[in-house]
Structure formats: structure tokens, C-alpha cells
Amino acid sequence: YVGKRRGKGTFVAYGQDAAGGYDDATLPALLAEALSAEPAASGLDVHYQPVVRISDGRREAVEALARWNHPVIGPVPTPVFVAVAEATGLIGRLDDFVLDRACHDLAGYLAAHGGDVSVHVNISASRLGQPDVELAADDCLSRHALAPRHLVLEVTESAPIADPEAAVRSAKRLRSKGIRLALDDFGAGYSTLALLRRLPLDIVKLDRSLTDLPDATPGGLSPEALCRAMLWIADEMGVMVVAEGVETAEQVAALTRMGCRYAQGYRYGRPEPFASLFSAEAASSGEGALSGEAGL
Ligand code: C2E
Ligand code: MG
Ligand code: MG
Ligand code: MG
């Protein structure tokens, strides 16, 4: 297992949080079944979390995050079923389900309201370098008549990439089509600095462990120092930086001080269904625009 699963204990902790009584052994079969069923019956769903510009809270994008509320066993935490999908080879189908829903939802929104909002979709790093991910992205964009600049693919280096050369070629092809690429969870993965040098990127997302400044362990290199260094490197590379897991005003102040311009986290909004994200915004702004600025 790869991804957010960091040992057996992780599953126990998630199990205690979850309302339902799922059991590890049955998840692969249930997930395979869900991916073949109609979404309405499978309990598979997509929630969205805003990515904002810190200076004025403008919504630059929304990140699509897979959700699974199984009709019988109840909600399964995302890191749990994503790890199952990675381990069982179902990840491509899960990613494609989310990609399709995300393009559908955003295309519908843009058709009605216009604007420059984009959608971030997570893809397994194991797929970068395989032609199917490019085909899936192309197909999805054309079916929903969505311009490539509205799509950002997020890749987490949760395990060493099997064929880095192929991954780099794949990244170049995606970007030449106008699809943007983000390196997710930077600072939490494997050989991320090496990858950063080779992968052509548009966005780097700083992992929560780097932006969780107040809880820094004393001694050694502080998260703030790492964060500062990363912002400097990103600037040199000309990539946009998004701080993940921003929850407090203190974090916002520290990030602003360091020159970080974009953030995502509970402070700016939790993941929620597309429709409620939209209605909350409509209620607060009176305009119903996903983007914080009118007429963009
Ligand atoms: P991620 O891509 O880094 O997504 C951010 C995760 O952090 C989400 O967890 C989100 O709910 C959580 N989060 C956001 N803001 C905060 C905050 O302020 N504080 C805290 N404590 N957490 C915050 P989620 O939805 O459980 O997803 C976990 C991971 O699962 C994602 O991490 C991503 O790596 C993976 N994932 C989710 N959906 C997909 C998918 O469709 N395909 C693939 N391949 N992976 C996915
Ligand atoms: Mg992500
Ligand atoms: Mg992330
Ligand atoms: Mg993360």
C-alpha cells in the first residue's frame, strides 16, 4: 500500500473516526463493485475545496476530492479507499470517475457563469507516464467542452515513480496541450527535490506538515525555514505555490510574511458538494460567482 497509509495503525485510527463498520478485507471487492455501478447507487461522490488567493480570498480553483459513502457500510475515509485503489489497480478507474465528474461540474458552472476558475484533479503518480491518463484527460475535456487551461492534474509522489523518464515525457505532453500540472504534498513524499528538478510543473503544493507552523518541533530545521526555502526555489522555477492545510490566522500571517500567495485549508473552506459550494458563495456574495471577482 502506498499513499497516506503509513502502517497498520493508520487504518485503526481512521476506523475509529468512521461511522460505518467497514473491514479491510472486503474493501477491494466493494470498491470494484462501486466503480462498476451507477454513481447514485455506489455511494461514490466528489467534493470540492477552494484554492484561494491569500490577499483577497479570491477563489482561483477548486480541488476535487473523492468521497465514498457506501450504502451498507457507510462512509469510508478517502485515504483508506484511495490506498485500496492503489493496491488493487483500481486507481485509474477511480481517478477517471473523479475527473469526469469534476469536468462535468465545472463545465456546467462555466457555461452558466463564465469566469476563470479551474479544477484540480488528483491522479495517481503510478499513471503518469502511461498513455491512458493523457487519453482520459483529452477525452474528458472534449466530452465536456472544457478548455485545457481549466484543468490542473495533481500528482503526489507517494511512492518512487517507476519510470521517471516516461513520467517526464508524459508531463511534457500534458502541458503542451495546455493542461497544468501540480506536484502535491511537497515536503511529505519521497525524492521530491529530485523530482522537482526534472518534472515540468506549474504549481507546487506545500504539504500540511510544512505549513503547520505553530506545532513545529523544536530543534533542527523549522517548518518555517523549509517553507521559506521552498518558496524561494519555487520562485526561481517560476511555479505557483499553494500552501495546504491552512487552518489558522497565525498560519495565514506567517505565510504572507514569507511571500506565499495562495492557500487551501479549512480556514478558507472545507471540501463540500459542488452545489453547496456554489450556493454558499451565492448567499455570501449575492452574485453566485465562484470567482471572488465579478466579471472574470
Ligand atoms: P490531497 O490531494 O493533499 O488533498 C488534501 C487533503 O487534505 C484532503 O483530504 C482534504 O480534505 C484535507 N484538508 C484540506 N484542508 C485541510 C485542513 O485545513 N486541515 C486538515 N487537517 N486537512 C485538510 P482527503 O479528502 O481525505 O484526501 C486525502 C488524499 O487522498 C488527498 O490528499 C489525495 O492525495 C488523495 N485523493 C483524494 N481524492 C483522490 C482521487 O480522486 N484520486 C487520487 N488518486 N487520490 C485522491
Ligand atoms: Mg491534491
Ligand atoms: Mg495535497
Ligand atoms: Mg496533503
Side-chain angles (χ1 to χ4, degrees):
Y1 279 46
V2 294
K4 303 291 162 60
R5 184 177 182 183
R6 296 191 177 105
K8 193 71 192 164
T10 317
F11 269 16
V12 176
Y14 284 126
Q16 286 162 350
D17 281 351
Y22 63 86
D23 129 44
D24 286 9
T26 59
L27 284 181
L30 290 178
L31 186 60
E33 192 179 81
L35 285 165
S36 305
E38 286 300 313
S42 69
L44 284 170
D45 200 1
V46 179
H47 283 187
Y48 298 87
Q49 186 181 33
V51 175
V52 307
R53 184 163 68 191
I54 293 175
S55 61
D56 57 2
R58 178 189 135 96
R59 259 173 212 183
E60 298 290 324
V62 289
E63 177 174 7
L65 295 159
R67 293 291 180 265
W68 191 22
N69 188 1
H70 188 275
V72 177
I73 64 171
V76 183
T78 302
V80 172
F81 71 81
V82 167
V84 168
E86 290 271 8
T88 54
L90 294 168
I91 193 69
R93 286 168 66 199
L94 177 66
D95 287 353
D96 288 352
F97 162 75
V98 174
L99 176 69
D100 186 68
R101 175 72 71 80
C103 289
H104 170 270
D105 286 346
L106 187 68
Y109 174 84
L110 292 173
H113 303 275
D116 253 342
V117 163
S118 36
V119 67
H120 291 217
V121 176
N122 294 281
I123 58 160
S124 167
S126 67
R127 296 180 73 201
L128 198 61
Q130 291 174 10
D132 79 307
V133 72
E134 294 161 51
L135 294 173
D138 279 343
D139 175 58
C140 205
L141 290 172
S142 65
R143 269 187 298 109
H144 298 291
L146 195 62
R149 67 189 164 87
H150 291 293
L151 179 62
V152 177
L153 295 178
E154 295 196 358
V155 184
T156 307
E157 201 187 16
S158 51
I161 290 179
D163 186 348
E165 309 263 307
V168 169
R169 284 196 300 271
S170 177
K172 283 182 178 156
R173 282 194 298 269
L174 285 165
R175 290 184 80 228
S176 71
K177 297 178 207 285
I179 296 170
R180 281 174 294 160
L181 212 62
L183 185 58
D184 205 351
D185 300 325
F186 186 85
Y190 286 70
S191 51
T192 39
L193 264 184
L195 192 69
L196 204 59
R197 285 185 56 201
R198 303 186 56 187
L199 259 197
L201 290 170
D202 301 282
I203 298 169
V204 171
K205 299 185 78 174
L206 296 186
D207 190 66
R208 212 159 72 219
S209 57
L210 289 189
T211 58
D212 195 7
L213 306 161
D215 287 349
T217 345
L221 193 55
S222 71
E224 175 146 355
L226 271 175
C227 222
R228 224 181 262 288
M230 270 315 304
L231 284 160
W232 187 82
I233 292 171
D235 203 46
E236 287 287 302
M237 292 173 63
V239 305
M240 168 179 164
V241 174
V242 178
E244 296 192 279
V246 177
E247 296 181 356
T248 67
E250 288 72 23
Q251 280 173 295
V252 174
L255 288 164
T256 305
R257 209 164 54 231
M258 290 185 273
C260 182
R261 299 177 58 213
Y262 302 94
Q264 183 178 351
Y266 296 163
R267 176 156 187 89
Y268 297 103
R270 291 184 179 253
E272 55 185 326
F274 197 85
S276 64
L277 185 77
F278 172 67
S279 57
E281 175 87 6
S284 65
S285 73
E287 301 168 349
L290 250 185
S291 150
E293 286 173 9
L296 266 171

